[in-house]
């Protein structure tokens, strides 16, 4: 068999095998243990729902396999936050100390006319390219060129904000 690896968002709740079979209206096969701990898993990545009780595809996963494949999260991962930035959204973290802090992605701009009296003009530039970058609203002003800390990159408390 070919090997695969996947990452996906799911909803899940603890449910043993017998209760899952009852939920689906199925008889438990004679060679299965209904008391197996596990989870009802709802996949959120598209596909046709297979029950009217959930909007995503639902299946059952044994506890050991589930625990080895998934971990609970609080919000978006850093990678999902970056994707939201690329889609033009503002993002924030629940773990930030400041009130009202958020990030935006500033798209690059080509061949900008440098305004007289600016630091760019004082450096001798008349035109320049502004490269794409992430800016942070600190609650007091815009901070250009924000950089993620190790904590920011490993956090899963990111959220899209208005």
């Amino acid at each position: 068999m070919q090997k695969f690896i996947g990452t996906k968002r799911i909803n899940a709740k603890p449910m043993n095998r017998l209760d899952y079979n009852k939920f689906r209206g199925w008889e438990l096969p004679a060679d299965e243990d209904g008391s197996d701990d596990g989870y009802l898993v709802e996949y959120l990545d598209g596909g046709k729902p297979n029950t009217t009780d959930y909007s995503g595809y639902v299946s059952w996963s044994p506890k050991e396999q589930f625990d080895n494949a998934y971990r609970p999260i609080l919000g978006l991962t850093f990678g999902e936050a970056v994707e939201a930035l690329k889609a033009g959204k503002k993002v924030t973290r629940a773990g930030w100390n400041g009130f009202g802090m958020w990030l935006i992605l500033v798209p690059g701009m080509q061949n900008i006319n440098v305004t007289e009296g600016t630091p760019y003009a004082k450096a001798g530039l008349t035109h320049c390219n502004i490269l794409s970058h992430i800016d942070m609203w600190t609650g007091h002003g815009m901070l250009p060129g924000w950089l993620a800390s190790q904590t920011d990159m490993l956090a899963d408390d990111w959220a899209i904000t208005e």
Side-chain angles (χ1 to χ4, degrees), residues 121-144:
K122 289 178 183 176
L125 296 175
T126 58
H127 294 80
C128 70
N129 296 331
I130 304 293
L131 303 177
S132 297
H133 60 280
I134 297 172
D135 285 353
M136 172 187 260
W137 176 255
T138 66
H140 305 288
M142 194 60 76
L143 176 65

Tab-separated table of all heavy atoms in Angstrom, residues 121-144:
chain	number	residue	atom	x	y	z
A	121	ALA	N	13.938	58.868	0.998
A	121	ALA	CA	14.522	59.932	0.176
A	121	ALA	C	15.874	60.359	0.743
A	121	ALA	O	16.829	60.583	-0.010
A	121	ALA	CB	13.566	61.120	0.106
A	122	LYS	N	15.971	60.449	2.061
A	122	LYS	CA	17.237	60.827	2.690
A	122	LYS	C	18.328	59.792	2.423
A	122	LYS	O	19.506	60.101	2.431
A	122	LYS	CB	17.045	61.025	4.189
A	122	LYS	CG	16.237	62.276	4.504
A	122	LYS	CD	16.012	62.425	5.992
A	122	LYS	CE	15.140	63.639	6.276
A	122	LYS	NZ	14.811	63.778	7.683
A	123	ALA	N	17.912	58.537	2.163
A	123	ALA	CA	18.870	57.479	1.835
A	123	ALA	C	19.242	57.499	0.357
A	123	ALA	O	20.038	56.685	-0.101
A	123	ALA	CB	18.298	56.124	2.216
A	124	GLY	N	18.643	58.424	-0.406
A	124	GLY	CA	19.005	58.572	-1.820
A	124	GLY	C	18.074	57.871	-2.789
A	124	GLY	O	18.349	57.839	-3.981
A	125	LEU	N	16.984	57.329	-2.317
A	125	LEU	CA	16.051	56.650	-3.216
A	125	LEU	C	15.040	57.633	-3.805
A	125	LEU	O	14.577	58.547	-3.119
A	125	LEU	CB	15.286	55.555	-2.465
A	125	LEU	CG	16.106	54.391	-1.915
A	125	LEU	CD1	15.219	53.465	-1.083
A	125	LEU	CD2	16.761	53.612	-3.049
A	126	THR	N	14.713	57.423	-5.075
A	126	THR	CA	13.631	58.188	-5.699
A	126	THR	C	12.439	57.283	-5.979
A	126	THR	O	11.308	57.747	-6.037
A	126	THR	CB	14.100	58.847	-7.015
A	126	THR	OG1	14.580	57.828	-7.900
A	126	THR	CG2	15.187	59.877	-6.743
A	127	HIS	N	12.719	56.006	-6.179
A	127	HIS	CA	11.694	54.985	-6.398
A	127	HIS	C	12.118	53.721	-5.634
A	127	HIS	O	13.309	53.500	-5.432
A	127	HIS	CB	11.557	54.620	-7.885
A	127	HIS	CG	11.050	55.728	-8.721
A	127	HIS	ND1	11.862	56.743	-9.162
A	127	HIS	CD2	9.812	55.982	-9.186
A	127	HIS	CE1	11.140	57.585	-9.883
A	127	HIS	NE2	9.889	57.138	-9.911
A	128	CYS	N	11.169	52.919	-5.241
A	128	CYS	CA	11.514	51.641	-4.616
A	128	CYS	C	10.320	50.696	-4.683
A	128	CYS	O	9.188	51.109	-4.946
A	128	CYS	CB	11.980	51.812	-3.169
A	128	CYS	SG	10.694	52.284	-2.011
A	129	ASN	N	10.596	49.419	-4.465
A	129	ASN	CA	9.552	48.405	-4.336
A	129	ASN	C	9.321	48.152	-2.855
A	129	ASN	O	10.277	48.062	-2.085
A	129	ASN	CB	9.965	47.098	-5.015
A	129	ASN	CG	10.134	47.250	-6.510
A	129	ASN	OD1	9.488	48.086	-7.134
A	129	ASN	ND2	11.016	46.466	-7.086
A	130	ILE	N	8.070	48.055	-2.465
A	130	ILE	CA	7.722	47.665	-1.101
A	130	ILE	C	7.351	46.182	-1.169
A	130	ILE	O	6.429	45.800	-1.905
A	130	ILE	CB	6.542	48.482	-0.529
A	130	ILE	CG1	6.819	49.979	-0.588
A	130	ILE	CG2	6.188	48.017	0.877
A	130	ILE	CD1	7.927	50.456	0.310
A	131	LEU	N	8.065	45.351	-0.455
A	131	LEU	CA	7.801	43.915	-0.472
A	131	LEU	C	6.630	43.571	0.446
A	131	LEU	O	6.354	44.283	1.423
A	131	LEU	CB	9.052	43.151	-0.035
A	131	LEU	CG	10.310	43.419	-0.861
A	131	LEU	CD1	11.487	42.659	-0.267
A	131	LEU	CD2	10.097	43.071	-2.313
A	132	SER	N	5.934	42.479	0.139
A	132	SER	CA	4.843	42.012	0.994
A	132	SER	C	5.364	41.772	2.400
A	132	SER	O	6.489	41.299	2.576
A	132	SER	CB	4.263	40.695	0.460
A	132	SER	OG	3.712	40.895	-0.810
A	133	HIS	N	4.549	42.129	3.393
A	133	HIS	CA	4.948	41.937	4.784
A	133	HIS	C	3.712	41.931	5.683
A	133	HIS	O	2.624	42.304	5.260
A	133	HIS	CB	5.928	43.023	5.235
A	133	HIS	CG	5.384	44.414	5.142
A	133	HIS	ND1	5.345	45.120	3.964
A	133	HIS	CD2	4.842	45.221	6.078
A	133	HIS	CE1	4.810	46.311	4.166
A	133	HIS	NE2	4.488	46.393	5.452
A	134	ILE	N	3.915	41.515	6.921
A	134	ILE	CA	2.828	41.479	7.902
A	134	ILE	C	3.023	42.633	8.866
A	134	ILE	O	4.118	42.836	9.387
A	134	ILE	CB	2.823	40.138	8.665
A	134	ILE	CG1	2.548	38.984	7.695
A	134	ILE	CG2	1.789	40.160	9.790
A	134	ILE	CD1	2.707	37.607	8.315
A	135	ASP	N	1.962	43.407	9.067
A	135	ASP	CA	1.980	44.510	10.026
A	135	ASP	C	1.082	44.174	11.209
A	135	ASP	O	0.098	43.445	11.065
A	135	ASP	CB	1.465	45.812	9.394
A	135	ASP	CG	2.464	46.463	8.445
A	135	ASP	OD1	3.610	45.988	8.362
A	135	ASP	OD2	2.085	47.451	7.785
A	136	MET	N	1.422	44.731	12.385
A	136	MET	CA	0.625	44.521	13.593
A	136	MET	C	0.022	45.839	14.058
A	136	MET	O	0.736	46.843	14.165
A	136	MET	CB	1.478	43.954	14.723
A	136	MET	CG	0.737	43.897	16.069
A	136	MET	SD	1.806	43.410	17.423
A	136	MET	CE	1.330	41.693	17.548
A	137	TRP	N	-1.270	45.835	14.343
A	137	TRP	CA	-1.892	46.943	15.048
A	137	TRP	C	-1.690	46.657	16.529
A	137	TRP	O	-2.138	45.634	17.036
A	137	TRP	CB	-3.383	47.061	14.712
A	137	TRP	CG	-4.029	48.138	15.514
A	137	TRP	CD1	-4.848	47.992	16.582
A	137	TRP	CD2	-3.860	49.543	15.334
A	137	TRP	NE1	-5.214	49.209	17.081
A	137	TRP	CE2	-4.613	50.190	16.329
A	137	TRP	CE3	-3.140	50.325	14.434
A	137	TRP	CZ2	-4.677	51.570	16.447
A	137	TRP	CZ3	-3.211	51.700	14.542
A	137	TRP	CH2	-3.972	52.305	15.546
A	138	THR	N	-0.985	47.541	17.215
A	138	THR	CA	-0.621	47.306	18.612
A	138	THR	C	-1.669	47.799	19.593
A	138	THR	O	-1.550	47.574	20.792
A	138	THR	CB	0.700	48.016	18.951
A	138	THR	OG1	0.490	49.431	18.875
A	138	THR	CG2	1.817	47.585	18.020
A	139	GLY	N	-2.671	48.499	19.100
A	139	GLY	CA	-3.639	49.166	19.968
A	139	GLY	C	-3.310	50.640	20.090
A	139	GLY	O	-4.141	51.443	20.478
A	140	HIS	N	-2.068	50.990	19.735
A	140	HIS	CA	-1.612	52.380	19.794
A	140	HIS	C	-1.142	52.874	18.436
A	140	HIS	O	-1.048	54.067	18.212
A	140	HIS	CB	-0.470	52.544	20.807
A	140	HIS	CG	-0.825	52.058	22.165
A	140	HIS	ND1	-1.703	52.719	22.984
A	140	HIS	CD2	-0.439	50.957	22.838
A	140	HIS	CE1	-1.838	52.059	24.118
A	140	HIS	NE2	-1.080	50.976	24.055
A	141	GLY	N	-0.802	51.972	17.554
A	141	GLY	CA	-0.309	52.338	16.237
A	141	GLY	C	0.087	51.100	15.456
A	141	GLY	O	0.090	49.989	15.982
A	142	MET	N	0.385	51.312	14.177
A	142	MET	CA	0.749	50.212	13.292
A	142	MET	C	2.249	49.959	13.389
A	142	MET	O	3.058	50.884	13.312
A	142	MET	CB	0.373	50.561	11.852
A	142	MET	CG	0.403	49.388	10.916
A	142	MET	SD	-0.727	48.032	11.349
A	142	MET	CE	-2.286	48.676	10.837
A	143	LEU	N	2.620	48.695	13.585
A	143	LEU	CA	4.018	48.280	13.653
A	143	LEU	C	4.330	47.498	12.378
A	143	LEU	O	3.897	46.358	12.224
A	143	LEU	CB	4.254	47.403	14.886
A	143	LEU	CG	5.653	46.810	15.036
A	143	LEU	CD1	6.687	47.917	15.240
A	143	LEU	CD2	5.681	45.825	16.193
A	144	PRO	N	5.059	48.113	11.431
A	144	PRO	CA	5.385	47.403	10.189
A	144	PRO	C	6.394	46.284	10.420
A	144	PRO	O	7.231	46.365	11.323
A	144	PRO	CB	6.008	48.492	9.312
A	144	PRO	CG	5.644	49.789	9.948
A	144	PRO	CD	5.488	49.499	11.412
